């Protein structure tokens, strides 16, 4: 990251981290401010950041070096793929030092510079996040704001925007009203740049609702394209009032899947609507239309494999949660670009989207509770989302299957079940029935063999 204080660097770092982690790309943020507080204490006055303060300058360099050391260790020992070095990095000398250190370890560098000249926005940022920072604990807010502005001025004295044509960078100017990109190469950098170009910070709300209870829900069957039950239709009638009560007269766009149950649920809503094929429920392949009991009887090994690794398990002829995350990526991009949206979706689909906003690991994602006849309201805030749930008073079946406890896991009862393995020459030996391997590009340390599952992701 590059930029003066209060330019959204931490905000951007955390969003990119959440996005890549959701895609299955191991990512971690290293925030130099946290190292500074740990090494030299919080509550440091603005004079600490004065470039003419030699001791302050040296202590800031120490914090930067400690964070960088940890980051390089994480790449080496934890097989990290993307690290986000969250600091001002506001001088050419500092960036040259970073490039030298990282270049020696063959680590590719992409600079993300946030430039913002909107003084009102900077003031709002200071009020929004800086006054509640540990740096200003117990300080009078007005005094803290004055101190923070003095801190910004110290950085301005030295600040040098990126000019080196040989560097890879994106400059986000005034929250994306203009973007400059330079030397962007390869898939991952392009994904990150495209993602950054879609971000906005206008206040908005995102609503999730599953379709009303369906005929298949009542029968305990998964998948299919059934109509709503009587109670489901009642939910569709009540939904508009609930949304109106919370959103008032604001604009909203409703997204549904192409399946009858979500379209029927949206029918009484008087807002523009869009159908997405990408929002269709997880495809259960040969198990589509069966109950969980029928699947357990007919395909006991599959059933056990799914409990063992639900995120990666792919139904025969169908999909895994990992597949669904990939197909939802364009939906996430559009969600980032838009303002108020209501998604009327399905259990597995809404779990995936909710996990993106609420930072759930792949391991926990398939067990998130998204009950029927409940509206979830997310309000994006500086470093996360605020959540409210509104339960509509119409009964519905519970379709949530809890996670099988490890001690009673079917794997213990059936130890002969096959899991994917690594062959003698390091190739992945994959049983067609086994869970698929991760969806992300994988980085294997030189000379090592690949591992076959990697469902646990890290977060910052
Ligand atoms: P510091 O250097 O003090 O750590 P920072 O640059 O990391 O500051 P943040 O803590 O990320 O700043 O500031 C968060 C605020 O920035 C949020 O209120 C968010 O809405 C806002 N913000 C997000 N993106 C941008 C942007 N591109 N330009 C300006 N502000 C932004
Ligand atoms: O039961 C409703 C449903 O939407 C099914 O159509 C789908 O297969 C299932 O939920 C997904 O939930 P799980 O991944 O927990 O089986």
């Amino acid at each position: 990251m590059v930029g003066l204080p209060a330019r959204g660097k931490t905000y951007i770092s955390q969003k990119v981290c959440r996005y890549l982690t959701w895609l299955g790309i191991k990512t971690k943020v290293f925030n130099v401010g946290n190292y500074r507080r740990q090494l030299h204490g919080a509550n440091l006055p603005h004079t600490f950041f004065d470039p003419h303060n030699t001791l302050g300058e040296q202590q800031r360099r120490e914090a930067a070096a400690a964070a960088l050391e940890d980051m390089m260790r994480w790449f080496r020992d934890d097989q990290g793929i993307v690290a986000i070095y969250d600091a001002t990095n506001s001088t050419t000398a500092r960036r040259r030092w970073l490039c030298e250190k990282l270049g020696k370890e063959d680590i590719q560098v992409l600079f993300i510079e946030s430039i913002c000249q909107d003084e009102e926005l900077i003031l709002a940022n200071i009020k929004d996040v800086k006054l509640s920072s540990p740096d200003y604990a117990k300080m009078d807010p007005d005094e803290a704001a004055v101190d923070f502005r003095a801190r910004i001025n110290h950085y301005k004295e030295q600040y040098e925007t990126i000019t080196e044509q040989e560097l890879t960078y994106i400059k986000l100017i005034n929250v994306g009203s203009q973007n400059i990109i330079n030397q962007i190469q390869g898939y991952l950098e392009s994904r990150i740049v495209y993602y950054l170009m879609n971000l906005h910070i206008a206040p908005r709300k995102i609503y999730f609702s599953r379709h009303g209870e369906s005929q298949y829900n009542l029968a305990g069957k998964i998948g299919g394209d059934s109509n709503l039950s009587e109670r489901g239709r009642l939910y569709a009638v009540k939904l508009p009032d609930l949304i109106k009560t919370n959103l008032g007269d604001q604009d909203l766009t409703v997204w549904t899947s192409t399946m009858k149950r979500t379209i029927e649920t949206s029918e009484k809503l008087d807002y523009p609507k869009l159908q997405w094929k990408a929002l269709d429920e997880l495809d259960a392949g040969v198990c589509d239309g069966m109950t969980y009991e029928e699947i357990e009887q007919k395909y006991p090994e599959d059933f056990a494999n799914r409990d063992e690794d639900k995120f990666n398990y792919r139904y025969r002829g169908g999909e895994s949660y990992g597949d669904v995350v990939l197909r939802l990526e364009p939906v996430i991009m559009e969600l980032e670009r838009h303002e108020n949206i209501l998604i009327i979706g399905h259990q597995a689909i809404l779990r995936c989207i909710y996990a993106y906003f609420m930072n759930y690991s792949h391991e926990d994602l398939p067990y998130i509770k998204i009950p029927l006849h409940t509206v979830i309201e997310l309000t994006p805030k500086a470093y996360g989302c605020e959540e409210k749930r509104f339960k509509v008073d119409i009964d519905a079946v519970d379709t949530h299957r809890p996670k099988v406890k490890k001690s009673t896991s079917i794997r213990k009862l059936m130890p002969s079940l096959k899991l994917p393995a690594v062959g003698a020459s390091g190739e992945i030996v994959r049983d067609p029935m086994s869970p698929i391997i991760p969806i992300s590009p994988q980085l294997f340390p030189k000379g090592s063999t690949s591992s076959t599952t990697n469902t646990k992701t890290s977060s910052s």
Side-chain angles (χ1 to χ4, degrees):
M1 301 303 307
V2 175
L4 290 170
R7 264 59 183 178
K9 298 184 302 296
T10 298
Y11 171 92
I12 294 165
S13 304
Q14 296 200 355
K15 286 217 72 138
V16 171
C17 182
R18 198 148 47 77
Y19 167 67
L20 296 177
T21 302
W22 181 75
L23 281 175
I25 297 167
K26 190 168 176 170
T27 305
K28 189 168 174 175
V29 179
F30 293 81
N31 178 287
V32 175
N34 288 339
Y35 284 80
R36 175 199 19 102
R37 278 184 283 273
Q38 258 176 26
L39 289 172
H40 309 300
N43 292 106
L44 293 163
H46 69 84
T47 47
F48 178 79
F49 301 92
D50 184 337
H52 309 293
N53 174 351
T54 0
L55 179 63
E57 167 79 24
Q58 182 201 321
Q59 291 185 324
R60 283 194 289 133
R61 245 186 290 122
E62 274 168 28
L68 189 67
E69 278 308 312
D70 270 0
M71 187 173 104
M72 296 205 294
R73 203 171 306 124
W74 178 78
F75 272 122
R76 261 192 321 266
D77 301 344
D78 293 348
Q79 284 81 52
I81 297 179
V82 178
I84 305 173
Y85 187 73
D86 179 14
T88 52
N89 300 315
S90 52
T91 62
T92 307
R94 167 63 64 86
R95 293 191 292 270
R96 196 175 302 129
W97 169 74
L98 279 172
C99 287
E100 271 167 25
K101 287 269 194 187
L102 295 168
K104 277 190 198 141
E105 306 259 343
D106 269 346
I107 295 165
Q108 236 174 298
V109 184
L110 158 64
F111 288 104
I112 303 172
E113 180 172 0
S114 175
I115 297 170
C116 183
Q117 284 114 359
D118 179 344
E119 281 303 320
E120 251 177 65
L121 177 59
I122 306 301
L123 201 61
N125 288 351
I126 295 175
K127 284 197 183 134
D128 193 17
V129 288
K130 298 304 164 195
L131 302 187
S132 53
S133 139
D135 286 359
Y136 293 114
K138 297 189 197 129
M139 201 195 256
D140 168 69
D142 292 333
E143 228 179 283
V146 170
D147 184 89
F148 198 83
R149 290 174 77 87
R151 185 194 295 192
I152 295 178
N153 287 334
H154 290 313
Y155 276 97
K156 272 188 184 166
E157 246 186 84
Q158 283 202 313
Y159 184 68
E160 293 164 306
T161 188
I162 305 174
T163 49
E164 299 88 328
Q165 285 312 298
E166 69 281 8
L167 295 183
T168 295
Y169 63 80
I170 173 166
K171 291 190 190 199
L172 304 166
I173 301 167
N174 291 326
V175 205
S177 64
Q178 190 192 1
N179 300 309
I180 299 172
I181 61 170
N182 190 64
Q183 302 272 18
I184 299 298
Q185 289 159 12
Y187 175 77
L188 207 46
E189 284 178 0
S190 321
R191 288 307 327 152
I192 295 169
V193 164
Y194 183 51
Y195 177 73
L196 291 170
M197 287 167 65
N198 281 300
L199 296 184
H200 73 78
I201 54 170
R204 49 102 169 238
K205 295 205 185 294
I206 300 158
Y207 292 97
F208 298 146
S209 167
R210 283 175 69 185
H211 51 78
E213 182 189 68
S214 72
Q215 302 285 357
Y216 261 38
N217 290 149
L218 267 184
K221 293 178 178 182
I222 67 167
D225 190 15
S226 65
N227 296 99
L228 296 183
S229 71
E230 206 169 303
R231 295 191 299 201
R233 286 200 300 275
L234 213 55
Y235 175 74
V237 171
K238 287 216 172 176
L239 188 56
D241 260 1
L242 196 154
I243 297 295
K244 191 95 187 158
T245 310
N246 287 288
L247 197 67
D249 289 331
Q250 290 183 49
D251 289 343
L252 176 79
T253 308
V254 179
W255 292 354
T256 67
S257 72
T258 64
M259 296 179 140
K260 285 192 288 205
R261 54 195 187 274
T262 62
I263 296 167
E264 282 172 23
T265 308
S266 75
E267 257 159 20
K268 307 278 180 224
L269 287 157
D270 190 16
Y271 299 101
K273 288 170 205 156
L274 196 73
Q275 288 176 21
W276 284 78
K277 182 85 184 135
L279 286 175
D280 284 1
E281 181 55 310
L282 182 148
D283 181 353
V286 294
C287 296
D288 189 82
M290 295 167 78
T291 63
Y292 290 122
E293 292 73 25
E294 284 165 350
I295 301 171
E296 187 170 16
Q297 267 182 8
K298 196 160 179 202
Y299 303 108
E301 289 209 359
D302 286 60
F303 198 73
N305 275 335
R306 190 161 200 255
D307 275 342
E308 196 61 35
D309 184 356
K310 195 173 173 189
F311 184 83
N312 284 309
Y313 170 80
R314 179 185 283 154
Y315 279 108
R316 298 177 188 222
E319 290 178 301
S320 67
Y321 272 89
D323 296 333
V324 172
V325 161
L326 278 191
R327 89 160 131 96
L328 284 173
E329 209 241 357
V331 175
I332 293 297
M333 287 292 180
E334 281 303 296
L335 265 177
E336 285 296 355
R337 268 163 35 77
H338 277 81
E339 302 208 343
N340 298 325
I341 297 282
L342 161 62
I343 304 181
I344 301 182
H346 304 265
Q347 177 160 251
I349 299 299
L350 293 181
R351 279 178 180 151
C352 293
I353 302 175
Y354 179 88
Y356 163 77
F357 284 103
M358 302 305 278
N359 212 5
Y360 272 67
S361 70
H362 286 177
E363 194 180 353
D364 295 333
L365 179 159
Y367 298 97
I368 296 172
K369 285 193 176 157
I370 313 273
L372 288 165
H373 299 180
T374 303
V375 173
I376 301 174
E377 179 192 85
L378 297 185
T379 311
K381 294 281 168 189
Y383 304 142
C385 282
E386 239 171 51
E387 172 178 344
K388 284 186 189 158
R389 289 190 177 216
F390 305 97
K391 192 169 164 10
V392 175
D393 192 20
I394 301 167
D395 286 343
V397 292
D398 181 1
T399 60
H400 184 267
R401 272 193 78 242
K403 190 169 190 167
V404 177
K405 287 209 185 79
K406 284 282 175 215
S407 56
T408 56
S409 147
I410 199 92
R411 180 143 316 268
K412 291 217 162 152
L413 304 172
M414 300 171 70
S416 62
L417 282 187
K418 273 191 233 128
L419 270 181
V422 178
S425 53
E427 83 284 10
I428 297 165
V429 182
R430 197 141 32 108
D431 180 319
M433 293 299 111
S434 71
I436 62 155
I437 54 167
I439 56 171
S440 64
Q442 291 294 293
L443 195 71
F444 299 115
K446 283 173 200 132
S448 78
T449 55
S450 56
S451 75
T452 51
T453 50
N454 178 23
T455 55
K456 189 100 177 98
T457 55
S458 77
S459 63
S460 60

